[in-house]
Amino acid sequence: MTVPAVPADPDPEAAGRKRKRKRPCKHIFVTGGVVSSLGKGIASASIGRLLRNMGFSVRIQKLDPYLNVDPGTMNPYQHGEVFVTDDGAETDLDLGHYERFLNQPCNHHATYTSGRIYQTVIQKERAGAYQGGTVQVIPHVTNEIKCAIKVLAEPEVDVVITELGGTVGDIEGQPFLEAVRQFQIEAGRENVVLCHLAYIPYVRAAGEMKTKPAQHSAQKLRELGLIPDFLFCRSEHKLEKELRDKLSLFCNVPSEHVIELPDARTIYEVPLTMQKQKLEELLTKRLGLPGRECDMRDWKLMLQHIRKPKDTITVALVGKYIRLQDSYKSVTEAIDHAAWANRLTAEIVRIEGEDLERDEDWRARLAGVDCIVVPGGFGKRGFESKVMAARFARETGMPFLGLCLGMQAAAVEYARNVLGLTEAHSWEMDEKSPDPIVVLMEEQKDIADLGGTMRLGAYPCTLPRKTSRTSKAYGGREVVQERHRHRLEFNNDYRKDFEQAGMLFTGLYIPDPAEPERSLVEIIELRDHPFFVATQAHPEFKSSPVEPHPLFKALIATAYRQRMQAGGRTEAGEG
């Protein structure tokens, strides 16, 4: 897949004609300082949720300063999970937060990296677009960044929120900050708000919180020509008035614009934390937007379900990147969403694949949970643990959900232990296997580049069996859309053998209805099992706290019902 170039700067006269019917699009930029991983993505998404609940049309994006074109080829240990959009963009995990909070899909215009920006500039230079001129960071790179910001400002959009990755002072982030400085002048300062997120550390030895790191961070912004309108303060403790006044004075921000963002029990509390400080009113007033009620009743109800569960459900997550929390961020979020929808809280037991393979008592480890989720991944390491988890769930009747590589592992396990094909394997793990249950897609065989070349994005999945658990989970729908990120597929040569042995193919991708034999297996399930479902897709990408994904929701519901029938925990505390 060719990475889309930065869009050309729109015709200003045409844009002006469109905009005569409404006010100019407003822009909110979110920057970070002091340290990374403070939660700029959560802050940006929370602002978007508040504005959406006020009835404004909102778009959101992230500009990342790293030179990779996208995170698609990056190791999860370095960057966390790769989130995939409907249109097939491989993106930073913050876009997952955007979608979950705003409950609206993003696209490839919601993510730009330095690599993508520079790639576009170089392609234009090679094509002679600069007419022999010297190509420089200013104006050529900064112009491309501004075009990336403008592309979301369509006529019907009220506010565009742009998160800048990294921290102020990073050398690779300077072109983005310079582009924002220029953008403020061009768009008009009255149409632009800059929010700066900084850390307020608590020094335990001194017994007090320190504002100096935030002061220096804001000072660095001012040196670059950017004056923050709001200061978001991440901290472990509440800010006293004296501290807020100090930050206001030295960071050149009105006292009421110093917004506390203390550690929260769940990230979904952040919009309400902001609302208590009237952030949405302050933002709309600063941007000249009409004052409206911000109705968060549904959001508060969701939080009540989170805070007052009737019971706990234990979920084993068997993967190969378990030690890094963000490696399976969308999966763990989807598990939580499904648990909350069932008035439960999920206790996720993270099981490192290689540890399970070395553990002689591995069955006992899995027997202590209520259900199993096997997520996606690439490579041989840890694959056998996924096969082991699938076998345990199949043989014991434990509810199971396999995702992408998790489905492939379930298929390999079934071939080995039910069909008797003891050397069955995935082509990715063993190219010489006599029984390749999972094979490389035909169109993938001649591809050399790794980035952006898989089956990516949303594809239709037909659900042919109306009585299947899959169909029931999806509410009887005939066709659903799920997102993909993989190169290999189930080998259709083995479908008849699997079906005869009791495996159901309950989801199919049919590229051409005239050639049903070319259909691809999307979802499998076991006929005589409480809930054993595995999908080639990544359904976790489409789950949100207000709309949990049906497959995760059905998994948790089945697991809890099964435990209660077996005399599990009581439902004391429900209410």
Side-chain angles (χ1 to χ4, degrees):
M1 184 184 84
T2 302
V3 176
V6 177
D9 201 355
D11 175 10
E13 292 186 6
R17 287 193 296 271
K18 290 179 181 178
R19 287 270 170 83
K20 283 179 181 177
R21 294 178 282 112
K22 60 169 289 181
R23 58 183 168 267
C25 183
K26 309 295 183 175
H27 289 264
I28 298 173
F29 293 93
V30 179
T31 60
V34 185
V35 295
S36 60
S37 300
L38 286 179
K40 292 191 303 296
I42 302 298
S44 302
S46 297
I47 293 171
R49 179 76 262 175
L50 291 172
L51 294 174
R52 283 257 292 168
N53 280 34
M54 296 177 80
F56 295 110
S57 174
V58 179
R59 297 293 182 272
I60 189 167
Q61 65 178 179
K62 184 174 185 183
L63 307 180
D64 258 315
Y66 53 77
L67 282 172
N68 303 70
V69 173
D70 59 44
T73 59
M74 296 172 74
N75 190 314
Y77 281 125
Q78 285 201 10
H79 199 72
E81 77 167 7
V82 175
F83 187 82
V84 178
T85 60
D86 277 342
D87 62 352
E90 294 177 286
T91 77
D92 183 86
L93 61 82
D94 276 316
L95 267 73
H97 292 313
Y98 300 164
E99 290 201 5
R100 288 188 284 270
F101 273 72
L102 274 66
N103 204 30
Q104 68 181 28
C106 295
N107 60 30
H108 67 274
H109 290 311
T111 175
Y112 287 89
T113 66
S114 287
R116 184 174 169 188
I117 295 290
Y118 279 95
Q119 184 183 62
T120 301
V121 171
I122 292 169
Q123 286 172 346
K124 286 185 175 182
E125 185 274 332
R126 293 289 84 188
Y130 301 119
Q131 299 180 343
T134 301
V135 180
Q136 298 174 296
V137 173
I138 303 174
H140 302 98
V141 171
T142 52
N143 281 350
E144 295 299 336
I145 295 171
K146 287 184 289 183
C147 288
I149 296 167
K150 292 174 186 176
V151 74
L152 289 182
E154 297 174 340
E156 72 278 7
V157 176
D158 295 306
V159 182
V160 172
I161 301 169
T162 302
E163 175 194 349
L164 276 67
T167 56
V168 174
D170 296 343
I171 190 169
E172 62 267 29
Q174 289 185 6
F176 290 94
L177 292 167
E178 169 59 20
V180 173
R181 186 195 67 78
Q182 295 175 19
F183 188 88
Q184 285 186 133
I185 298 171
E186 295 169 9
R189 192 69 181 86
E190 70 280 6
N191 296 318
V192 177
V193 160
L194 178 62
C195 301
H196 186 58
L197 182 69
Y199 183 51
I200 312 297
Y202 176 76
V203 181
R204 195 171 301 278
E208 60 181 347
M209 301 172 76
K210 295 293 184 180
T211 64
K212 193 65 72 176
Q215 290 180 42
H216 281 281
S217 182
Q219 180 183 354
K220 186 65 178 177
L221 266 181
R222 292 198 299 272
E223 290 173 1
L224 297 170
L226 294 167
I227 300 175
D229 297 285
F230 291 83
L231 186 67
F232 294 163
C233 300
R234 285 285 290 111
S235 62
E236 298 177 29
H237 302 279
K238 182 177 175 60
L239 298 182
E240 300 296 335
K241 184 179 185 303
E242 180 183 353
L243 215 62
R244 292 168 64 99
D245 291 343
K246 186 176 181 180
L247 285 165
S248 170
L249 178 64
F250 287 100
C251 296
N252 201 34
V253 174
S255 182
E256 65 272 21
H257 288 197
V258 178
I259 306 297
E260 295 183 62
L261 295 178
D263 293 347
R265 178 181 173 183
T266 169
I267 58 175
Y268 299 110
E269 292 179 353
V270 176
L272 296 184
T273 300
M274 291 178 166
Q275 189 183 33
K276 286 179 182 178
Q277 299 169 76
K278 302 185 185 303
L279 177 62
E280 76 283 4
E281 296 179 16
L282 296 169
L283 280 171
T284 52
K285 181 178 179 181
R286 166 65 180 77
L287 289 169
L289 290 168
R292 297 175 181 172
E293 179 188 2
C294 182
D295 186 353
M296 298 291 286
R297 284 176 295 183
D298 288 346
W299 200 263
K300 291 177 181 177
L301 180 62
M302 174 196 72
L303 283 171
Q304 286 180 12
H305 291 170
I306 296 174
R307 292 165 181 158
K308 296 182 179 180
K310 66 183 180 183
D311 208 340
T312 299
I313 191 88
T314 55
V315 184
L317 183 65
V318 183
K320 63 183 292 184
Y321 307 114
I322 291 297
R323 292 186 177 90
L324 182 65
Q325 184 173 347
D326 286 342
S327 294
Y328 300 110
K329 189 63 178 176
S330 291
V331 177
T332 57
E333 287 291 309
I335 292 170
D336 282 337
H337 302 160
W340 299 335
N342 284 283
R343 300 296 303 276
L344 303 169
T345 185
E347 178 186 335
I348 300 175
V349 180
R350 295 168 176 267
I351 299 178
E352 181 73 35
E354 289 176 301
D355 291 346
L356 193 69
E357 293 168 21
R358 290 190 290 261
D359 191 346
E360 294 182 1
D361 200 23
W362 65 272
R363 290 179 178 272
R365 291 184 68 180
L366 294 177
V369 301
D370 296 311
C371 60
I372 298 172
V373 174
V374 175
F378 297 91
K380 296 180 180 180
R381 185 175 66 83
F383 179 75
E384 289 303 321
S385 68
K386 298 174 187 282
V387 174
M388 293 159 66
R391 179 175 185 177
F392 179 86
R394 179 181 59 79
E395 292 179 342
T396 64
M398 179 172 286
F400 173 90
L401 179 60
L403 312 171
C404 197
L405 186 62
M407 188 203 89
Q408 297 175 4
V412 168
E413 187 281 322
Y414 199 79
R416 290 178 183 175
N417 299 304
V418 177
L419 300 184
L421 306 176
T422 56
E423 295 184 69
H425 224 311
S426 164
W427 181 90
E428 181 184 8
M429 316 305 167
D430 182 5
E431 296 181 21
K432 297 180 180 179
S433 169
D435 291 298
I437 303 303
V438 180
V439 293
L440 191 66
M441 297 162 61
E442 193 64 34
E443 58 267 32
Q444 292 283 329
K445 291 182 178 179
D446 297 324
I447 290 177
D449 292 340
L450 296 180
T453 56
M454 292 180 276
R455 181 147 81 101
L456 292 165
Y459 285 81
C461 173
T462 300
L463 309 178
R465 293 176 176 266
K466 293 185 178 180
T467 59
S468 68
R469 289 175 178 81
T470 300
S471 179
K472 290 176 181 177
Y474 278 107
R477 294 160 63 187
E478 295 182 358
V479 179
V480 295
Q481 291 274 343
E482 294 293 359
R483 299 177 189 177
H484 291 251
R485 184 175 183 256
H486 59 96
R487 297 182 190 282
L488 293 94
E489 301 280 357
F490 181 89
N491 188 342
N492 280 333
D493 291 344
Y494 292 87
R495 272 178 59 175
K496 185 176 293 186
D497 294 336
F498 271 68
E499 288 177 321
Q500 289 176 349
M503 179 72 78
L504 304 178
F505 295 90
T506 54
L508 301 172
Y509 169 51
I510 307 175
D512 186 353
E515 299 181 84
E517 69 278 0
R518 293 185 61 241
S519 63
L520 300 177
V521 173
E522 294 281 87
I523 305 175
I524 61 176
E525 70 175 63
L526 290 180
R527 179 185 292 122
D528 300 317
H529 192 284
F531 190 92
F532 189 104
V533 177
T535 172
Q536 185 60 73
H538 285 274
E540 67 271 21
F541 292 149
K542 299 189 77 170
S543 182
S544 77
V546 293
E547 289 188 29
H549 193 278
L551 292 181
F552 283 87
K553 191 175 176 180
L555 169 77
I556 298 298
T558 303
Y560 189 68
R561 183 171 59 251
Q562 188 165 298
R563 191 182 75 195
M564 297 309 296
Q565 290 171 349
R569 298 184 187 92
T570 66
E571 298 189 26
E574 182 179 1

